[in-house]
Amino acid sequence: MASQLMFRGSRFLLLVLVVASSTLMMDTTTAQLQYDFYNTTCPGVEDLVRAELLALFAADVTLPAGLLRLHFHDCFGAGCDAALLLKSHNGTAQRDADPNSTVRGYEAIEAVKAKVEEACPLVVSCADIMAMAARDAVNYTQGPAYAVETGRRDGNVSRKEDALRFLPPADGNVTVLTQYFAAQNLSYKDMVVLSAAHSIGVAHCPSFSNRLYNYTGAGDQDPSLDADYAKNLTAKCKPGNVATVQPLDPTTPSTFDLGYYNNVYNHRALLASDAALLNDSLSGAYVQLMTNASSVDVFFADFAVSMINMGRIGVRTGTDGEIRATCAIYVD
Ligand code: HEM
Ligand SMILES: *[C@@H]1O[C@H](CO)[C@@H](O)[C@H](O)[C@H]1NC(C)=O
Ligand SMILES: *[C@@H]1O[C@H](CO)[C@@H](O)[C@H](O)[C@H]1NC(C)=O
Ligand SMILES: *[C@@H]1O[C@H](CO)[C@@H](O)[C@H](O)[C@H]1NC(C)=O
Ligand SMILES: *[C@@H]1O[C@H](CO)[C@@H](O)[C@H](O)[C@H]1NC(C)=O
Ligand SMILES: *[C@@H]1O[C@H](CO)[C@@H](O)[C@H](O)[C@H]1NC(C)=O
Ligand SMILES: *[C@@H]1O[C@H](CO)[C@@H](O)[C@H](O)[C@H]1NC(C)=O
Ligand SMILES: *[C@@H]1O[C@H](CO)[C@@H](O)[C@H](O)[C@H]1NC(C)=O
Ligand SMILES: *[C@@H]1O[C@H](CO)[C@@H](O)[C@H](O)[C@H]1NC(C)=O
Ligand SMILES: *[C@@H]1O[C@H](CO)[C@@H](O)[C@H](O)[C@H]1NC(C)=O
Ligand SMILES: *[C@@H]1O[C@H](CO)[C@@H](O)[C@H](O)[C@H]1NC(C)=O
Ligand SMILES: CC(=O)N[C@H]1CO[C@H](CO)[C@@H](O)[C@@H]1O
């Protein structure tokens, strides 16, 4: 099972390489994302973004997780076009949706964008800065270093419904999660691999407290939850406690590593959606494979591929969309 997944993974990687090289031969009428899109229009922008972020990360070690999730929510909310950053006086933008209520890092993207505007006015999109920031967040927390494709342009339409409709639910099983990813043209494997973003960052008690107190609606606990871990969590998250956070990976909360899969394997996953990976034989096999420390290279390579796939969701390129001076403007 596991080797089958790895085999699929390497074939998939090959496919990506073939697609990438054919892109180079394509004429410019079909605008595509590409590596180093700003090499002539804003040389060094990726280094500039990284330098700005490193300073922000040093001041707030929890920020990388925020920025990794920000890119995910932007991409799943009707495409990686920075529409998540837009504001609405009427509370009808993507960021006003419930799943966004704990999404963070908006100010960091705006601060980086301001620096980029000083260097290259109206050239670099907010959506690309978000993709770079997610990449830098992963690498800063000792995850894989991978190259991001750029050339995204920003949308000016942001609808609350898009966030509500497209973001996967925290209590989803593998079937449900796979459906949400498929709706974004992402594979089952992308889902299993990208879930490991929960190797860093935190969740608020309401995101998992039903597993502690009312799992099936009968005042019960999720029976699949490790008893010691459940005891720790109930001590921290009392019923009705909404402000407290718990690390998604309590063993190594700020390090992007295999700790996530080890926790899932040992029934110490925080979210039901994480625990669910153990319930399906194929995802379970991947989780088990990842409990072997020597699988880290496979995981890092898989994660890089899946992040690039996620970064392609519904992108605007060429003359579609716009490049704004400010990311978070009001659209109504
Ligand atoms: C598989 C489906 C997914 C579900 C159901 C899900 C759900 C959640 C939930 C409920 C939280 C906690 C929110 C809170 O209580 O504050 C969270 C946090 C987080 N998610 Fe996911 N997520 C999923 C996939 C992803 C993906 C694909 C990424 C990125 C590639 C990601 C990155 C993160 C990060 C980094 C955090 C921590 C954020 C912070 O520390 O502020 N998640 N996720
Ligand atoms: C810039 O990127 C384009 C497209 O990726 C490539 O064709 C070109 O050779 C690059 N130029 C430099 C100076 O790296
Ligand atoms: C948002 O509110 C403004 C007034 O503040 C109104 O003119 C506009 O039509 C509203 N837009 C939507 C989509 O409800
Ligand atoms: C990734 O991080 C390492 C240090 O952990 C650093 O040496 C390297 O330059 C970074 N690479 C990228 C692409 O950010
Ligand atoms: C997954 O969840 C959906 C929706 O709650 C449910 O209909 C389905 O039976 C579940 N599938 C499995 C395999 O548990
Ligand atoms: C996973 O299986 C366990 C039983 O082994 C069950 O308690 C739990 O509800 C399942 N998770 C999901 C999300 O379906
Ligand atoms: C998924 O792919 C199809 C076919 O290429 C495309 O029409 C659709 O817009 C894509 N959906 C997303 C969310 O990217
Ligand atoms: C548990 O869930 C049931 C069904 O959703 C609900 O009626 C009940 O009020 C919940 N109990 C608590 C203590 O939240
Ligand atoms: C529970 O918390 C204690 C004290 O912080 C810690 O030593 C232990 O490793 C935790 N156990 C689990 C299963 O999380
Ligand atoms: C871990 O993987 C390596 C290389 O694939 C293998 O030689 C070793 O037996 C595995 N260890 C365990 C405990 O499965
Ligand atoms: C939104 O962007 C489109 C181009 O993608 C442009 O035609 C339209 O005028 C823009 N609308 C606003 C309100 O900026
Ligand atoms: C950061 C942000 O804009 N969060 C919003 C998410 O949505 C809730 C409403 O569900 C708003 O109250 C938050 O301000």
Side-chain angles (χ1 to χ4, degrees), residues 145-182:
Y146 59 91
V148 283
E149 296 176 323
T150 42
R152 295 171 192 79
R153 289 165 64 88
D154 296 331
N156 57 19
V157 176
S158 185
R159 283 185 300 252
K160 186 179 190 168
E161 305 84 71
D162 290 337
L164 296 171
R165 194 152 51 108
F166 294 130
L167 285 165
D171 61 355
N173 59 32
V174 166
T175 309
V176 168
L177 297 175
T178 304
Q179 282 164 357
Y180 275 82
F181 277 66

Side-chain angles (χ1 to χ4, degrees), residues 75-76 78-79 166 181-186 312-315:
C75 292
F76 270 59
F166 294 130
F181 277 66
Q184 309 285 354
N185 291 339
L186 293 182
R312 289 177 179 165
I313 297 171
V315 292

Side-chain angles (χ1 to χ4, degrees), residues 6-231:
M6 282 170 66
F7 175 65
R8 283 191 192 172
S10 55
R11 266 183 30 166
F12 189 65
L13 193 66
L14 197 68
L15 186 71
V16 168
L17 290 175
V18 171
V19 170
S21 51
S22 63
T23 309
L24 294 177
M25 294 181 287
M26 218 175 266
D27 63 72
T28 48
T29 52
T30 33
Q32 300 269 328
L33 296 183
Q34 51 191 252
Y35 293 104
D36 229 357
F37 178 80
Y38 299 109
N39 62 0
T40 54
T41 53
C42 191
V45 64
E46 297 198 27
D47 293 334
L48 174 62
V49 168
R50 185 178 300 117
E52 289 304 314
L53 286 171
L54 287 180
L56 294 171
F57 292 162
D60 176 4
V61 293
T62 77
L63 182 59
L67 295 182
L68 179 55
R69 186 173 181 226
L70 197 67
H71 180 49
F72 160 54
H73 277 228
D74 183 42
C75 292
F76 270 59
C80 316
D81 67 351
L84 173 58
L85 305 181
L86 295 170
K87 293 186 197 172
S88 159
H89 288 108
N90 305 339
T92 57
Q94 274 180 41
R95 64 154 70 191
D96 299 311
D98 271 336
N100 284 333
S101 58
T102 60
V103 172
R104 61 205 178 89
Y106 293 94
E107 309 75 14
I109 298 296
E110 203 67 82
V112 172
K113 170 69 168 171
K115 289 288 179 188
V116 170
E117 283 303 296
E118 280 174 23
C120 319
L122 299 177
V123 169
V124 181
S125 68
C126 300
D128 278 343
I129 292 174
M130 293 171 83
M132 292 177 208
R135 180 268 308 272
D136 294 339
V138 169
N139 193 42
Y140 183 80
T141 52
Q142 296 166 47
Y146 59 91
V148 283
E149 296 176 323
T150 42
R152 295 171 192 79
R153 289 165 64 88
D154 296 331
N156 57 19
V157 176
S158 185
R159 283 185 300 252
K160 186 179 190 168
E161 305 84 71
D162 290 337
L164 296 171
R165 194 152 51 108
F166 294 130
L167 285 165
D171 61 355
N173 59 32
V174 166
T175 309
V176 168
L177 297 175
T178 304
Q179 282 164 357
Y180 275 82
F181 277 66
Q184 309 285 354
N185 291 339
L186 293 182
S187 70
Y188 176 100
K189 183 170 181 183
D190 290 324
M191 184 276 291
V192 177
V193 169
L194 289 174
S195 291
H198 294 166
S199 176
I200 57 173
V202 295
H204 291 70
C205 296
S207 294
F208 55 86
S209 60
N210 67 319
R211 299 187 73 202
L212 306 174
Y213 301 114
N214 207 8
Y215 191 58
T216 65
D220 55 338
Q221 198 166 80
D222 181 346
S224 72
L225 201 52
D226 170 80
D228 289 335
Y229 184 47
K231 195 192 275 181

Side-chain angles (χ1 to χ4, degrees), residues 215-271:
Y215 191 58
T216 65
D220 55 338
Q221 198 166 80
D222 181 346
S224 72
L225 201 52
D226 170 80
D228 289 335
Y229 184 47
K231 195 192 275 181
N232 281 3
L233 292 176
T234 51
K236 296 277 166 46
C237 288
K238 301 295 177 195
N241 185 336
V242 293
T244 304
V245 296
Q246 286 295 294
L248 285 155
D249 170 2
T251 46
T252 49
S254 313
T255 309
F256 191 97
D257 59 10
L258 291 173
Y260 168 81
Y261 289 116
N262 273 289
N263 294 331
V264 172
Y265 187 74
N266 292 306
H267 301 277
R268 291 171 185 176
L270 188 57
L271 305 178

Side-chain angles (χ1 to χ4, degrees), residues 156 320-322:
N156 57 19
D320 187 12
E322 60 187 19

